[in-house]
Amino acid sequence: MFLGALFGLAGAAMSASAANAQGKAERQAAEYNAQLMRNKAQNIAYARSAETTRNIEDFRKMRASQRAGFLASGARADVGTPLNVQLEEISSMQLDMLNDQRARIIEEQGALANAEMEVFQGRMAERARKAEARATLLGGVGNFIGTFE
């Protein structure tokens, strides 16, 4: 009887230890996943910066080409319809660039939010496993003490 109770107590201790280890592993996996999401957010920020630089250069080239076309046709590029066309194009280009940047910022913020959620879920999993370990250990101790009453 005593030996069975002792083995039951040892089993409860081992189960509690395994639950603690599982909780720690889940938290570590969540932290790893969160770091991946942070890296993704950083890559998105780098891409946004590179895209903005590229877009600015493309827009400058297009404006220069457009201005050269107007001048080649003999029209004055600084007044009237050619000027209105250029201003409309500049406005459109800026709006496109801002929309692209906004989309990248939203994507970046989403990745950062996912990283924080991963960390939170990992911590909650670890806490749940610790509670499970305590309950298992208490149950084992209760059974051990109950065998002697």
Side-chain angles (χ1 to χ4, degrees):
M1 179 178 194
F2 174 75
L3 190 58
L6 192 58
F7 277 122
L9 183 60
M14 289 175 66
S15 292
S17 177
N20 274 332
Q22 181 181 1
K24 183 178 179 181
E26 288 177 12
R27 180 185 46 81
Q28 288 172 339
E31 287 173 358
Y32 175 78
N33 289 338
Q35 187 57 47
L36 291 178
M37 296 307 288
R38 287 185 199 102
N39 291 347
K40 179 181 178 180
Q42 188 175 27
N43 289 337
I44 292 167
Y46 290 149
R48 182 183 72 233
S49 176
E51 285 173 357
T52 299
T53 302
R54 189 190 75 233
N55 285 342
I56 289 171
E57 288 302 315
D58 288 348
F59 293 158
R60 284 182 180 159
K61 288 176 185 176
M62 189 177 91
R63 282 186 54 219
S65 174
Q66 189 179 53
R67 177 175 264 191
F70 285 132
L71 292 174
S73 72
R76 289 185 54 190
D78 58 346
V79 294
T81 303
L83 179 61
N84 291 338
V85 169
Q86 289 180 73
L87 291 175
E88 184 66 33
E89 282 299 316
I90 290 169
S91 175
S92 178
M93 287 184 261
Q94 286 179 331
L95 185 59
D96 288 346
M97 191 170 56
L98 289 173
N99 280 334
D100 290 345
Q101 287 177 340
R102 180 181 160 275
R104 287 294 188 170
I105 288 170
I106 290 170
E107 190 177 359
E108 179 185 357
Q109 289 173 345
L112 290 173
N114 286 342
E116 292 305 313
M117 184 55 76
E118 283 287 338
V119 170
F120 174 76
Q121 288 175 339
R123 287 179 184 155
M124 292 301 104
E126 184 177 34
R127 286 182 184 170
R129 297 296 174 252
K130 283 183 179 182
E132 179 183 318
R134 286 190 295 271
T136 300
L137 195 54
L138 285 173
V141 169
N143 287 339
F144 181 75
I145 291 172
T147 57
F148 296 108
E149 289 184 31

